[in-house]
mmCIF file of all heavy atoms in Angstrom:
data_model
loop_
_atom_site.group_PDB
_atom_site.id
_atom_site.type_symbol
_atom_site.label_atom_id
_atom_site.label_comp_id
_atom_site.label_asym_id
_atom_site.label_seq_id
_atom_site.Cartn_x
_atom_site.Cartn_y
_atom_site.Cartn_z
ATOM 1 N N ILE A 1163 47.933 85.104 89.053
ATOM 2 C CA ILE A 1163 46.801 84.265 88.656
ATOM 3 C C ILE A 1163 45.572 85.155 88.482
ATOM 4 O O ILE A 1163 45.477 86.230 89.093
ATOM 5 C CB ILE A 1163 46.526 83.163 89.706
ATOM 6 C CG1 ILE A 1163 46.340 83.776 91.100
ATOM 7 C CG2 ILE A 1163 47.637 82.138 89.713
ATOM 8 C CD1 ILE A 1163 45.985 82.761 92.169
ATOM 9 N N SER A 1166 41.567 85.200 93.014
ATOM 10 C CA SER A 1166 42.161 85.407 94.341
ATOM 11 C C SER A 1166 41.998 84.163 95.204
ATOM 12 O O SER A 1166 40.952 83.504 95.180
ATOM 13 C CB SER A 1166 41.488 86.600 95.025
ATOM 14 O OG SER A 1166 42.075 86.851 96.288
ATOM 15 N N LEU A 1167 43.070 83.841 95.948
ATOM 16 C CA LEU A 1167 43.057 82.719 96.881
ATOM 17 C C LEU A 1167 43.317 83.232 98.292
ATOM 18 O O LEU A 1167 43.933 84.299 98.466
ATOM 19 C CB LEU A 1167 44.132 81.698 96.508
ATOM 20 C CG LEU A 1167 43.900 80.883 95.230
ATOM 21 C CD1 LEU A 1167 45.146 80.066 94.898
ATOM 22 C CD2 LEU A 1167 42.701 79.970 95.376
ATOM 23 N N PRO A 1168 42.869 82.500 99.312
ATOM 24 C CA PRO A 1168 43.154 82.933 100.686
ATOM 25 C C PRO A 1168 44.652 83.082 100.937
ATOM 26 O O PRO A 1168 45.444 82.238 100.519
ATOM 27 C CB PRO A 1168 42.566 81.796 101.536
ATOM 28 C CG PRO A 1168 41.536 81.154 100.665
ATOM 29 C CD PRO A 1168 42.053 81.278 99.267
ATOM 30 N N PHE A 1169 45.027 84.170 101.582
ATOM 31 C CA PHE A 1169 46.397 84.475 102.016
ATOM 32 C C PHE A 1169 47.351 84.830 100.868
ATOM 33 O O PHE A 1169 48.198 85.689 101.017
ATOM 34 C CB PHE A 1169 46.996 83.313 102.838
ATOM 35 C CG PHE A 1169 46.160 82.916 103.996
ATOM 36 C CD1 PHE A 1169 45.458 81.723 103.991
ATOM 37 C CD2 PHE A 1169 46.053 83.743 105.104
ATOM 38 C CE1 PHE A 1169 44.662 81.359 105.066
ATOM 39 C CE2 PHE A 1169 45.259 83.389 106.191
ATOM 40 C CZ PHE A 1169 44.572 82.193 106.163
ATOM 41 N N THR A 1170 47.234 84.168 99.749
ATOM 42 C CA THR A 1170 48.157 84.457 98.641
ATOM 43 C C THR A 1170 47.564 85.421 97.614
ATOM 44 O O THR A 1170 48.254 85.938 96.765
ATOM 45 C CB THR A 1170 48.579 83.140 97.941
ATOM 46 O OG1 THR A 1170 49.628 83.400 97.045
ATOM 47 C CG2 THR A 1170 47.407 82.510 97.206
ATOM 48 N N ARG A 1171 46.239 85.643 97.694
ATOM 49 C CA ARG A 1171 45.508 86.564 96.816
ATOM 50 C C ARG A 1171 45.700 86.209 95.344
ATOM 51 O O ARG A 1171 45.449 85.076 94.956
ATOM 52 C CB ARG A 1171 45.898 87.999 97.138
ATOM 53 C CG ARG A 1171 45.511 88.395 98.567
ATOM 54 C CD ARG A 1171 45.736 89.856 98.859
ATOM 55 N NE ARG A 1171 45.352 90.168 100.218
ATOM 56 C CZ ARG A 1171 45.457 91.372 100.759
ATOM 57 N NH1 ARG A 1171 45.946 92.390 100.047
ATOM 58 N NH2 ARG A 1171 45.080 91.576 102.007
ATOM 59 N N ASP A 1172 46.129 87.201 94.523
ATOM 60 C CA ASP A 1172 46.205 86.944 93.083
ATOM 61 C C ASP A 1172 47.613 86.547 92.634
ATOM 62 O O ASP A 1172 47.961 86.684 91.466
ATOM 63 C CB ASP A 1172 45.729 88.160 92.283
ATOM 64 C CG ASP A 1172 46.572 89.397 92.557
ATOM 65 O OD1 ASP A 1172 47.403 89.361 93.492
ATOM 66 O OD2 ASP A 1172 46.385 90.392 91.841
ATOM 67 N N MET A 1173 48.428 86.058 93.550
ATOM 68 C CA MET A 1173 49.768 85.608 93.191
ATOM 69 C C MET A 1173 50.125 84.343 93.949
ATOM 70 O O MET A 1173 49.980 84.286 95.171
ATOM 71 C CB MET A 1173 50.814 86.696 93.479
ATOM 72 C CG MET A 1173 52.242 86.257 93.171
ATOM 73 S SD MET A 1173 53.448 87.602 93.291
ATOM 74 C CE MET A 1173 53.076 88.501 91.790
ATOM 75 N N LEU A 1174 50.560 83.329 93.210
ATOM 76 C CA LEU A 1174 51.052 82.106 93.845
ATOM 77 C C LEU A 1174 52.527 82.307 94.175
ATOM 78 O O LEU A 1174 53.342 82.516 93.278
ATOM 79 C CB LEU A 1174 50.891 80.910 92.920
ATOM 80 C CG LEU A 1174 49.465 80.446 92.605
ATOM 81 C CD1 LEU A 1174 49.500 79.228 91.689
ATOM 82 C CD2 LEU A 1174 48.679 80.133 93.873
ATOM 83 N N VAL A 1175 52.858 82.266 95.450
ATOM 84 C CA VAL A 1175 54.240 82.434 95.902
ATOM 85 C C VAL A 1175 54.740 81.101 96.416
ATOM 86 O O VAL A 1175 54.050 80.427 97.197
ATOM 87 C CB VAL A 1175 54.346 83.503 97.004
ATOM 88 C CG1 VAL A 1175 55.793 83.660 97.463
ATOM 89 C CG2 VAL A 1175 53.794 84.833 96.508
ATOM 90 N N THR A 1317 55.863 86.198 109.037
ATOM 91 C CA THR A 1317 54.557 86.391 109.660
ATOM 92 C C THR A 1317 53.639 85.228 109.297
ATOM 93 O O THR A 1317 53.868 84.520 108.310
ATOM 94 C CB THR A 1317 53.917 87.702 109.181
ATOM 95 O OG1 THR A 1317 53.670 87.608 107.765
ATOM 96 C CG2 THR A 1317 54.835 88.889 109.462
ATOM 97 N N THR A 1318 52.601 85.059 110.083
ATOM 98 C CA THR A 1318 51.670 83.954 109.850
ATOM 99 C C THR A 1318 51.032 84.051 108.473
ATOM 100 O O THR A 1318 50.899 83.049 107.752
ATOM 101 C CB THR A 1318 50.570 83.934 110.928
ATOM 102 O OG1 THR A 1318 51.188 83.790 112.210
ATOM 103 C CG2 THR A 1318 49.607 82.784 110.700
ATOM 104 N N ASN A 1319 50.621 85.251 108.076
ATOM 105 C CA ASN A 1319 49.991 85.418 106.766
ATOM 106 C C ASN A 1319 50.954 85.073 105.636
ATOM 107 O O ASN A 1319 50.555 84.470 104.634
ATOM 108 C CB ASN A 1319 49.478 86.853 106.597
ATOM 109 C CG ASN A 1319 48.130 87.048 107.259
ATOM 110 O OD1 ASN A 1319 47.514 86.097 107.726
ATOM 111 N ND2 ASN A 1319 47.671 88.289 107.298
ATOM 112 N N ALA A 1320 52.224 85.470 105.779
ATOM 113 C CA ALA A 1320 53.214 85.154 104.749
ATOM 114 C C ALA A 1320 53.458 83.653 104.675
ATOM 115 O O ALA A 1320 53.581 83.078 103.586
ATOM 116 C CB ALA A 1320 54.519 85.891 105.033
ATOM 117 N N LEU A 1321 53.519 82.980 105.833
ATOM 118 C CA LEU A 1321 53.696 81.531 105.869
ATOM 119 C C LEU A 1321 52.522 80.819 105.200
ATOM 120 O O LEU A 1321 52.716 79.905 104.386
ATOM 121 C CB LEU A 1321 53.834 81.043 107.315
ATOM 122 C CG LEU A 1321 55.135 81.385 108.046
ATOM 123 C CD1 LEU A 1321 55.012 81.030 109.521
ATOM 124 C CD2 LEU A 1321 56.316 80.655 107.421
ATOM 125 N N LEU A 1322 51.316 81.255 105.518
ATOM 126 C CA LEU A 1322 50.135 80.638 104.932
ATOM 127 C C LEU A 1322 50.074 80.899 103.427
ATOM 128 O O LEU A 1322 49.626 80.042 102.660
ATOM 129 C CB LEU A 1322 48.870 81.157 105.613
ATOM 130 C CG LEU A 1322 48.671 80.680 107.051
ATOM 131 C CD1 LEU A 1322 47.478 81.394 107.693
ATOM 132 C CD2 LEU A 1322 48.460 79.169 107.105
ATOM 133 N N GLY A 1323 50.543 82.057 103.012
ATOM 134 C CA GLY A 1323 50.603 82.353 101.586
ATOM 135 C C GLY A 1323 51.542 81.405 100.863
ATOM 136 O O GLY A 1323 51.246 80.935 99.758
ATOM 137 N N LEU A 1324 52.699 81.114 101.481
ATOM 138 C CA LEU A 1324 53.633 80.153 100.896
ATOM 139 C C LEU A 1324 53.034 78.751 100.839
ATOM 140 O O LEU A 1324 53.204 78.036 99.853
ATOM 141 C CB LEU A 1324 54.931 80.114 101.714
ATOM 142 C CG LEU A 1324 56.033 81.110 101.361
ATOM 143 C CD1 LEU A 1324 57.205 80.941 102.322
ATOM 144 C CD2 LEU A 1324 56.502 80.916 99.930
ATOM 145 N N VAL A 1325 52.342 78.364 101.900
ATOM 146 C CA VAL A 1325 51.729 77.040 101.940
ATOM 147 C C VAL A 1325 50.677 76.907 100.839
ATOM 148 O O VAL A 1325 50.673 75.934 100.071
ATOM 149 C CB VAL A 1325 51.094 76.769 103.320
ATOM 150 C CG1 VAL A 1325 50.217 75.512 103.270
ATOM 151 C CG2 VAL A 1325 52.167 76.614 104.382
ATOM 152 N N VAL A 1326 49.788 77.899 100.747
ATOM 153 C CA VAL A 1326 48.712 77.831 99.749
ATOM 154 C C VAL A 1326 49.278 77.839 98.333
ATOM 155 O O VAL A 1326 48.921 77.012 97.495
ATOM 156 C CB VAL A 1326 47.724 79.002 99.943
ATOM 157 C CG1 VAL A 1326 46.736 79.067 98.770
ATOM 158 C CG2 VAL A 1326 46.975 78.863 101.251
ATOM 159 N N GLY A 1327 50.191 78.772 98.062
ATOM 160 C CA GLY A 1327 50.748 78.889 96.720
ATOM 161 C C GLY A 1327 51.471 77.643 96.281
ATOM 162 O O GLY A 1327 51.269 77.136 95.165
#
Side-chain angles (χ1 to χ4, degrees):
I1163 54 177
S1166 182
L1167 290 172
F1169 305 108
T1170 190
R1171 297 187 180 179
D1172 60 351
M1173 178 172 285
L1174 292 181
V1175 180
T1317 64
T1318 301
N1319 278 353
L1321 289 171
L1322 290 173
L1324 272 178
V1325 169
V1326 171

